Amino acid sequence: MAIKATTGPVDSSTVTAALTSATTATPSPVPLPRRTRENPESESEILPPLDEAVTSGGHSFAKPKLRLEIRDLDHPGAAKFLSAVNSATVLSTAVNNVLRLLYRSPSDKHTTVPPTRSVTLILRDMGGVAYTTGIDLDSDHKEIHFSLSYINSISPPSRLTHEITGVLTHELVHCYQWDAHGSCPGGLIEGVADWVRLNCDLSPPHWKKETGGDWDRGYQHTAYFLAYLEHRFGKDTVRRLNEKLRQHRYAVETFWPELLGQSVEELYGEYVEYEKNKGEVDDHE
Ligand SMILES: [Zn+2]
């Protein structure tokens, strides 16, 4: 689930299918002008028109080109993937959910959608679960590498669709979230990704609220903390947090007080207390 800075080697037996295009032939990439994330207005001017749109709240988000690459069709994980999800729609549905939760609508003046232009899902035999990376030429083109061995290991088989969709949703958040110009703590990055997964009702059965440890342990631990903040400070809290990660480099001393009026240690302490009291009430019921 980590974000990696480099791409993996290309396997010569690659099978590629361009899902949103009528042709599987992908033209050679042309070097694109380098764009800075500090200046989103100029980005929108030079982006080409996009052929499809994601609608949310009656408006349309620019939708990326989506591709699927299966590097080993003989791997048992490939057959499981293809039978468990609709390959033509699973990515676009997940993109829609990520955009809806992090940006609400394209006309929302308070958030800025990153200029992600394409996402390629690469299924290959590798260790771990999945990771997301930008390509060297242009980081607006993302690759999600997803382990066929992991897909093959998902048990029981009835969990395949839910788990695959959950992992893809988590990785697609990495394609669309802001990271404070690379300075955001990894735990917060992973927490936002799992907060989106949580809000799509795609959490796996082993997730549970554990309030021990630090607020930025990442993944579901930080995701449940973010869910508490959203509950306490309102529905826009994580969207505002994400937007703030676009605007400035991250500094823990100022980030949280500016966003929510308190230090993150205070907020996390109140979350732990809230969960403890809730548990005691539950015990008496
Ligand atoms: Zn991740």
Side-chain angles (χ1 to χ4, degrees):
M1 316 264 189
I3 310 171
K4 288 195 179 176
T6 56
T7 58
V10 175
D11 187 323
S12 59
S13 62
T14 291
V15 177
T16 302
L19 291 174
T20 57
S21 167
T23 170
T24 55
T26 306
S28 300
V30 175
L32 297 163
R34 197 73 203 158
R35 276 161 284 141
T36 62
R37 299 204 155 165
E38 290 82 350
N39 192 1
E41 287 75 16
S42 68
E43 287 166 4
S44 58
E45 285 168 17
I46 57 175
L47 282 175
L50 291 155
D51 54 357
E52 291 192 49
V54 175
T55 56
S56 176
H59 301 282
S60 298
F61 284 110
K63 187 180 166 189
K65 180 67 75 183
L66 300 172
R67 299 187 183 89
L68 171 65
E69 182 177 317
I70 302 175
R71 292 197 180 167
D72 184 359
L73 278 170
D74 286 334
H75 195 292
K80 288 190 180 179
F81 178 90
L82 292 168
S83 62
V85 297
N86 182 336
S87 305
T89 58
V90 66
L91 281 173
S92 84
T93 301
V95 167
N96 198 4
N97 282 330
V98 170
L99 291 172
R100 174 175 60 83
L101 285 162
L102 288 184
Y103 300 100
R104 188 162 47 194
S105 87
S107 61
D108 185 349
K109 296 281 184 282
H110 303 293
T111 57
T112 309
V113 181
T116 302
R117 293 149 63 94
S118 76
V119 179
T120 302
L121 171 61
I122 297 169
L123 305 182
R124 65 183 182 92
D125 197 0
M126 64 178 204
V129 178
Y131 66 85
T132 294
T133 179
I135 66 170
D136 293 340
L137 183 67
D138 185 333
S139 66
D140 296 344
H141 297 276
K142 306 292 186 187
E143 288 182 357
I144 296 173
H145 292 240
F146 196 177
S147 167
L148 285 168
S149 306
Y150 177 74
I151 293 168
N152 190 42
S153 75
I154 296 168
S155 172
S158 58
R159 283 193 56 236
L160 270 166
T161 305
H162 194 266
E163 177 64 10
I164 289 170
T165 311
V167 171
L168 288 177
T169 301
H170 173 108
E171 296 302 325
L172 278 163
V173 175
H174 293 326
C175 300
Y176 277 98
Q177 70 188 143
W178 295 106
D179 65 355
H181 308 282
S183 65
C184 182
L188 185 52
I189 294 274
E190 299 300 340
V192 170
D194 271 350
W195 175 84
V196 171
R197 183 173 175 174
L198 187 64
N199 278 270
C200 292
D201 293 325
L202 289 169
S203 55
H206 68 269
W207 281 17
K208 57 178 189 287
K209 287 181 194 170
E210 292 166 327
T211 52
D214 295 330
W215 72 271
D216 60 351
R217 277 196 297 163
Y219 299 108
Q220 73 269 27
H221 307 293
T222 302
Y224 283 121
F225 175 48
L226 293 173
Y228 161 80
L229 295 177
E230 186 92 351
H231 170 72
R232 181 172 155 193
F233 292 96
K235 281 284 177 197
D236 275 338
T237 303
V238 175
R239 270 194 289 271
R240 290 199 294 121
L241 177 149
N242 181 56
E243 179 65 13
K244 193 167 173 59
L245 291 171
R246 179 185 76 80
Q247 294 166 333
H248 309 288
R249 288 185 62 79
Y250 180 88
V252 69
E253 305 79 26
T254 52
F255 184 87
W256 297 93
E258 286 174 6
L259 184 71
L260 299 172
Q262 291 174 252
S263 73
V264 71
E265 288 78 18
E266 280 177 327
L267 292 164
Y268 192 69
E270 288 165 11
Y271 162 63
V272 171
E273 198 62 23
Y274 173 81
E275 286 300 323
K276 203 176 113 202
N277 292 337
K278 214 170 70 166
E280 284 169 2
V281 170
D282 289 347
D283 288 345
H284 292 140
E285 282 173 355

